[in-house]
Every structure is written in structure tokens, then in C-alpha cells.
Amino acid sequence: MRTPVFTGACPALATPFDQNGNINFDAFGRLIDAQIAAGVDAVCVCGTTGESATMSIREHIAAVEFCVKRVDHRVKVIAGAGSNDTSAAVYLSQHAQDSGADALLHVTPYYNKASQKGLIKHYEYIADRVDLPIILYNVPGRTGVSFTAETYKVLSENPKINGVKEASGNFSLLAHTRYLCPDDFYIWSGNDDQVVPMMSLGAKGVISVVSNIAPEVMVKMSHLCLEGNFQEASALQIQYMDLIDALFCEVNPIPVKTAMNLMGMEAGPLRLPLCEMSEKNLATLRASMERMGLLK
């Protein structure tokens, strides 16, 4: 029987850049340390929030290697390794494994719009070439393709596929997946605004954007759910909805990196084609952060 890669809260780490656009490893190390000090259960490097789409292969590998060394076995490290090129996904996966990562996060191939049969072939091909557990990542709003529950069922038969980060927002898909798949095919929320309802349907935690600036909140929310205290967890979810909405008023990670900079966390600039927030949305974000006590 598979055990979950983690239970609870895992930040989808932002990647700090310096003013020349290079990875700011000093700031990155401070971010990782702060997340662990706040009690997170794992960290995820080189995901969407980490701007992996605009990282070179060399940068991607360097970021994973740095994260693994900085974490130093204090929590699990999940390395983003997804690509719309299956061979590239294998290459990134093998490097992450060699670096000492604990698990892999693999988004559905974007742009290609693979069939369900193609998705199965893609993930089985990767799983045959690595030893690490794989977390699937379903975010059709970005990739143009979604898993079906039936495809999850097929993939759940592969012992190396640990489960899925579900960011489709489709609760019917979630319920059907729980019905069709074995109990050891695990689900994590990929949406900060849906942590409690997803965990009420059996999700094991969250891979979180919000955790970059409020890790204690996401740790407490997810752990309350794990303890079966959904009433208190729901109150926390509702309390922070305004901040969560503000952090997604423009495409992620624009608002969260902006918020980090406002808090003095030196997240640095975004990489094109992502750019600075509009003045209107910046004002909304700042006001929400002030209400939640994140800015003075």
C-alpha cells in the first residue's frame, strides 16, 4: 500500500530573482527556512508559482539541487518536473532524483492537448524511468486538458503514481475519483480557496500559493481538517477568503510575488511575459494584506 508523499500543507515556492533576473539563492534560502520554521509538511520547488515555465533547464536543475540541500531532510521536497515534451519530463525527473528530491510533480502536457490515452502513455513512460513517487497535477485552466476519473483509475494502478494535485475546481471529478480509485491514490488541493471542501472529500492537504506569505494559516487549516475539525477549519477558510481572492486577482504568481516584496521578502521581479500588477489590483492586494495584519 502506498503512503502519501505528505499530509498537511506544502508551499508551492516562489522563485526569488535578483534585479538582473537571476535566481536570488540567498532570498530563496530564507524563504525555504521560514516555511519550515512555520511548520509546513513539505515544499514544492519549480512549480507554476516558481515560474518554471520561464526557467532554463540549467536553472531548473540548479533550483531543485539548492532546495534539496537547503531543506536537508527537514521536510519532503517535491520537485516540479513537468513538460509537454515527455523526454524533457524524464530528463528533469532523473535530475531531480539524482539531486535527492523525495517526489515529483508532473503537470499534464500543455499545448499538445493529449488524449486520455496519450496522458496514460505519457505518465507510464515517465514512471518506468524513475524511482520516485509521482504526483500528477491537473490544472486544465492552464494546460487545456483535464484528466477524467477513469484515467485516474488506470494511472492509480501504477505503484509509482502517488496521487494528484487537483486544481480543476471540479468537485464532481473529485468525488468520482474517490469513488473509482483505491484509498491509497491520494489527492491534494491545488486551490487555496478549496482546501476545506476538498479535504472533506478525502484530500490529504494542499499545495499552496498562500503559504508563501501566510504559512501558519495553511498549516493550521490543513491540520484541523486532518484532525476532523472541519468546523474550525471552515471558519479559517472563510476568514482568509478575501486574502486568497486578492492573491489570485491576477494570474499566479504575479500577486504573491508582489505581496512578498511588500513584506520585504525580496522575491524580486517577474519574468516576462508576466509583468507588474495594475495599480487597481495592487491597491486591492495591499488593502487585503493590511486587513489580515500582514502589512503595517
Side-chain angles (χ1 to χ4, degrees), residues 29 32-34 36-37 40-41 69-76:
I32 291 167
D33 290 346
I36 295 173
V40 300
D41 303 282
K69 289 178 182 177
R70 187 71 175 224
V71 169
D72 192 24
H73 305 288
R74 289 179 287 172
V75 295
K76 295 291 182 67

Side-chain angles (χ1 to χ4, degrees), residues 117-227:
K117 180 180 179 181
L119 290 178
I120 292 168
K121 286 181 173 291
H122 171 79
Y123 287 105
E124 289 181 341
Y125 188 90
I126 296 167
D128 285 344
R129 286 158 180 80
V130 292
D131 298 321
L132 295 181
I134 294 170
I135 298 175
L136 313 175
Y137 181 15
N138 194 37
V139 58
R142 286 185 179 267
T143 65
V145 63
S146 175
F147 292 101
T148 64
E150 289 76 16
T151 296
Y152 282 144
K153 183 177 187 299
V154 174
L155 291 172
S156 72
E157 296 169 4
N158 190 308
K160 292 180 188 173
I161 296 178
N162 197 256
V164 59
K165 174 186 176 182
E166 249 299 334
S168 67
N170 185 340
F171 283 93
S172 294
L173 174 60
L174 174 60
H176 281 100
T177 300
R178 294 281 1 109
Y179 174 72
L180 289 177
C181 295
D183 290 341
D184 67 346
F185 179 76
Y186 303 103
I187 296 172
W188 294 271
S189 174
N191 294 330
D192 286 292
D193 62 343
Q194 297 178 346
V195 178
V196 176
M198 285 190 68
M199 292 189 73
S200 73
L201 282 171
K204 292 297 182 182
V206 58
I207 299 178
S208 168
V209 175
V210 174
S211 185
N212 282 280
I213 63 167
E216 296 90 349
V217 173
M218 303 315 296
V219 169
K220 183 176 181 181
M221 188 186 302
S222 59
H223 283 236
L224 284 169
C225 290
L226 290 170
E227 295 162 5

